[in-house]
């Protein structure tokens, strides 16, 4: 992990164009070569980012350090650094991943075993399907054979929708899986999260934990 704090401006050129004027910001470069730019006013969402696979090239322009981050589609994130305040690198090693609380982990087990809860004819591909940014809770197929990524939460909030959106962006790059649809499943889904999910064409499902537990005993399962 490389951490850079710099006064910089940022330009994005791709499907859309965007500009961040000069200001102090935190720039993260991860081992997968993804780059994200952060301000000091939000907990989880960067101001702009480039997902892997991408390349980073450093150059000089008018006395400033310029980073050009480009992905395979030719989209570019151009970071012009006027002043570098901090630059350090740290080896974090392999992350053990998120340890879910008992209820959330059990919901995943139950839903994976009872995919018909999401729709008749649905089937499981794999639980904890690996991606470059973490495992998808459930990867399955609907009755039409379309791949579906399911993110499971006890309480569904906006950050969960954002997390599923990032998974879908990566999964849809795989020609063996695409197109991949999303399902956001939780015991309770906040109104703001539901609005965001709907806007991104992600289906919301409210899970009945007690109901799922009540139908688990008639099948012998090994987890």
């Amino acid at each position: 992990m490389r951490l850079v704090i710099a006064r910089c401006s940022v330009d994005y050129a791709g499907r859309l164009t965007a500009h961040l004027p000069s200001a102090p910001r935190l720039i993260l470069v991860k081992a997968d070569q993804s780059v994200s730019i952060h301000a000091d006013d939000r907990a989880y969402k960067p101001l702009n980012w480039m997902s892997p696979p991408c390349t980073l090239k450093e150059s000089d322009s008018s006395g400033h350090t310029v980073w050009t981050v480009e992905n395979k589609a030719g989209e570019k994130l151009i970071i012009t650094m006027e002043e570098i305040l901090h630059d350090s690198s740290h080896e974090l090693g392999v992350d053990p991943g998120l340890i879910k609380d008992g209820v959330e982990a059990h919901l995943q087990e139950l839903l994976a075993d009872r995919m018909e809860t999401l729709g008749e004819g649905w089937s499981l591909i794999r639980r904890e399907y690996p991606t470059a940014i973490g495992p998808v809770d459930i990867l399955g197929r609907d009755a039409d054979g379309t791949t579906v990524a399911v993110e499971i939460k006890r309480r569904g909030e906006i950050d969960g929708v954002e997390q599923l959106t990032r998974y879908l962006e990566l999964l849809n790059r795989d020609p063996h899986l695409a197109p991949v649809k999303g399902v956001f499943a939780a015991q309770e889904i906040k109104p703001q999260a539901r609005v965001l999910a709907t806007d991104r064409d992600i289906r919301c499902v409210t899970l009945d934990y007690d109901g799922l537990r009540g139908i688990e005993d008639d099948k012998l399962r090994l987890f």
Side-chain angles (χ1 to χ4, degrees), residues 40-209:
D40 200 18
D41 65 344
R42 57 192 71 197
Y44 59 92
K45 187 175 180 180
L47 296 168
N48 215 325
W49 67 92
M50 187 67 77
S51 300
C54 56
T55 58
L56 190 160
K57 296 180 180 179
E58 296 189 32
S59 61
D60 291 320
S61 177
S62 302
H64 296 153
T65 299
V66 178
W67 287 11
T68 301
V69 187
E70 183 173 0
N71 64 16
K72 288 187 175 181
E75 298 169 318
K76 294 181 180 180
L77 193 65
I78 301 170
I79 308 169
T80 302
M81 303 187 193
E82 301 164 14
E83 181 184 8
I84 296 177
L85 306 172
H86 175 85
D87 189 347
S88 64
S89 297
H90 308 270
E91 289 291 338
L92 302 186
V94 178
D95 191 90
L98 178 67
I99 299 175
K100 298 177 181 292
D101 66 59
V103 172
E104 193 169 308
H106 200 202
L107 279 170
Q108 184 191 118
E109 293 176 359
L110 292 168
L111 192 57
D113 190 53
R114 296 286 183 172
M115 291 294 288
E116 64 269 21
T117 302
L118 299 176
E120 185 177 353
W122 285 50
S123 60
L124 175 70
I125 296 175
R126 178 173 171 174
R127 286 175 52 201
E128 299 289 338
Y129 186 88
T131 76
I133 58 174
V136 177
D137 286 338
I138 291 177
L139 196 71
R141 288 192 179 92
D142 65 15
D144 297 323
T146 302
T147 309
V148 183
V150 185
E151 180 65 22
I152 299 171
K153 301 291 184 186
R154 286 182 63 186
R155 177 177 294 178
E157 301 191 45
I158 285 178
D159 58 348
V161 178
E162 295 283 5
Q163 182 181 0
L164 179 54
T165 300
R166 292 192 291 271
Y167 288 147
L168 290 171
E169 181 181 351
L170 283 178
L171 293 170
N172 273 299
R173 296 178 186 174
D174 187 338
H176 299 292
L177 297 176
V180 184
K181 299 191 298 187
V183 172
F184 188 54
Q187 289 179 274
E188 175 191 357
I189 300 177
K190 294 293 186 180
Q192 299 92 334
R194 191 178 294 274
V195 169
L196 182 61
T198 301
D199 182 67
R200 296 182 177 179
D201 202 26
I202 293 172
R203 176 186 167 197
C204 291
V205 175
T206 303
L207 297 175
D208 181 353
Y209 180 50

